[in-house]
Amino acid sequence: MSSLRTDDDTWDIATSVGTTAVMVAAARAAETLRDDALIRDPFAQVLVAGAGSGVWEKMLDPEVGAQVAETDAEVAAIFEHMGNYQAVRTHYFDEYFRAAAEAGIRQVVILAAGLDSRAYRLPWPDGTVVYEIDQPKVLEYKAARLAEHGAGPSAQRVEVAVDLRVDWPKALREAGFDASAPTAWLAEGLLMYLPADAQDRLFELVTELSAPGSQVSVETVGVQAEERREQMRERFERIRAQMGVEETVDVAELMYNDPDRADVAEWLDAHGWQSSAVTSQQEMRRLGRWVLPPEFSDDSGFSSFVIARKG
């Protein structure tokens, strides 16, 4: 369980869970610079640049990987894996939204949107409305930062500034959401920050709000042994100290490593959805981005990507 979280904690882009949004944006920015990039996000660098100093600066430094490899080759591989994972994850959900749009869905809800830029960078069909739900300060930062650089959304973007632990369905409806229209939902980079019971409640509400023909796509949570988590934390701490990276929030401590968490695909199948899932390992191998040695192939420690349709 997380030791840094409380029932009423909040954050902006520079604190707590908010910092993870910057790190994810940094990963997208780094991927965009690659010749063989899986995704292109022209807004990621802008979003990162306004967030101040942090570990994300090292993520954008092409020399860091080589420096880490000199000290710990395995950790260097893990760093590379982390960047590859973000690229593959982003690519997977980009394709999900493209397929949903082709299927005629014109209402999108991104849960815990963070610094997600899909409302700006994906080619949405005319009439698409993208609802972004997140903490007020996070949404404010993103909109202001992109507006400063002349960026406008490619769909109708609607901010729903509310914490997912309160009555967010009410706020979503008040923002114009139509529960009678099919919706494409996304829960990416979210479930690991929720305890098991909150995850169940989230999908209960999504189900209640979803008309027939709706879709939902989800990044699930892998469960790692505490001993392994602690070993990796110690190794990353040594690297951080060696490279002179200022200590920030321990991301692992923000997450809920809950072994009793429901299997998302099974839960959805039992509640009126028809789901399919692919492991992140499978997707990373399919796209040529798997770099970890065989001993890291433990299925339980990695996430899966789920897509489900409500009949």
Side-chain angles (χ1 to χ4, degrees):
M1 300 295 287
S2 171
S3 62
L4 295 181
R5 304 295 307 284
T6 62
D7 290 341
D8 59 352
D9 59 336
T10 187
W11 51 86
D12 57 18
I13 206 63
T15 58
S16 186
V17 179
T19 62
T20 68
V22 184
M23 287 186 272
V24 171
R28 296 199 307 269
E31 177 67 17
T32 298
L33 295 174
R34 292 178 56 139
D35 293 336
D36 62 345
L38 294 175
I39 60 102
R40 300 287 181 184
D41 186 345
F43 307 106
Q45 179 65 60
V46 169
L47 293 168
V48 173
S53 298
V55 67
W56 41 85
E57 294 171 303
K58 295 294 184 182
M59 295 172 63
L60 291 171
D61 185 345
E63 302 298 323
V64 167
Q67 294 172 12
V68 174
E70 293 177 0
T71 302
D72 191 323
E74 187 174 287
V75 170
I78 293 170
F79 277 172
E80 183 180 358
H81 167 83
M82 292 166 62
N84 285 345
Y85 175 82
Q86 294 295 338
V88 168
R89 182 181 82 169
T90 302
H91 177 271
Y92 182 89
F93 294 123
D94 282 359
E95 293 303 304
Y96 156 71
F97 276 133
R98 289 191 178 98
E102 289 177 2
I105 295 177
R106 296 293 180 267
Q107 183 167 252
V108 172
V109 178
I110 302 177
L111 301 161
L115 297 184
D116 187 304
S117 63
R118 291 185 177 95
Y120 293 81
R121 65 180 179 80
L122 292 187
W124 299 103
D126 291 344
T128 301
V129 183
V130 178
Y131 294 92
E132 295 187 355
I133 303 179
D134 211 320
Q135 296 268 350
K137 292 180 180 179
V138 174
L139 293 176
E140 288 172 8
Y141 168 83
K142 176 166 61 178
R145 185 70 182 162
L146 293 180
E148 287 172 6
H149 286 75
S154 54
Q156 180 184 347
R157 175 178 175 268
V158 180
E159 293 185 358
V160 185
V162 63
D163 194 302
L164 286 170
R165 293 166 295 187
V166 299
D167 191 359
W168 61 267
K170 179 176 182 290
L172 183 60
R173 288 191 180 97
E174 290 176 348
F177 175 83
D178 181 2
S180 68
T183 303
W185 301 85
L186 176 61
E188 175 190 26
L190 167 60
L191 299 190
M192 65 281 291
Y193 303 113
L194 300 177
D197 57 347
Q199 173 181 304
D200 291 349
R201 182 56 180 159
L202 177 75
F203 289 121
E204 288 171 1
L205 294 171
V206 167
T207 300
E208 291 174 7
L209 291 166
S210 295
S214 293
Q215 298 182 28
V216 60
S217 197
V218 183
E219 175 192 20
T220 70
V221 183
V223 178
Q224 297 179 333
E226 286 300 329
E227 181 180 1
R228 179 63 178 165
R229 282 161 58 91
E230 184 57 32
Q231 289 173 351
M232 294 310 302
R233 183 182 291 111
E234 291 173 358
R235 293 176 73 171
F236 278 111
E237 175 58 24
R238 288 197 299 272
I239 296 294
R240 183 201 65 76
Q242 178 181 329
M243 297 182 65
V245 178
E246 182 180 353
E247 185 173 10
T248 55
V249 174
D250 185 341
V251 174
E253 285 298 314
L254 297 173
M255 301 178 182
Y256 292 87
N257 193 47
D258 195 335
D260 297 323
R261 190 183 297 274
D263 180 284
V264 173
E266 292 178 1
W267 192 100
L268 290 169
D269 284 340
H271 292 80
W273 301 80
Q274 297 82 46
S275 69
S276 61
V278 60
T279 68
S280 57
Q281 300 100 305
Q282 291 171 327
E283 192 68 0
M284 292 183 78
R285 289 188 174 101
R286 184 182 74 83
L287 295 172
R289 290 299 187 89
W290 182 263
V291 296
L292 295 180
E295 58 266 30
F296 283 84
S297 295
D298 178 14
D299 288 346
S300 67
F302 290 90
S303 66
S304 293
F305 306 135
V306 176
I307 294 177
R309 184 181 186 280
K310 189 176 183 185

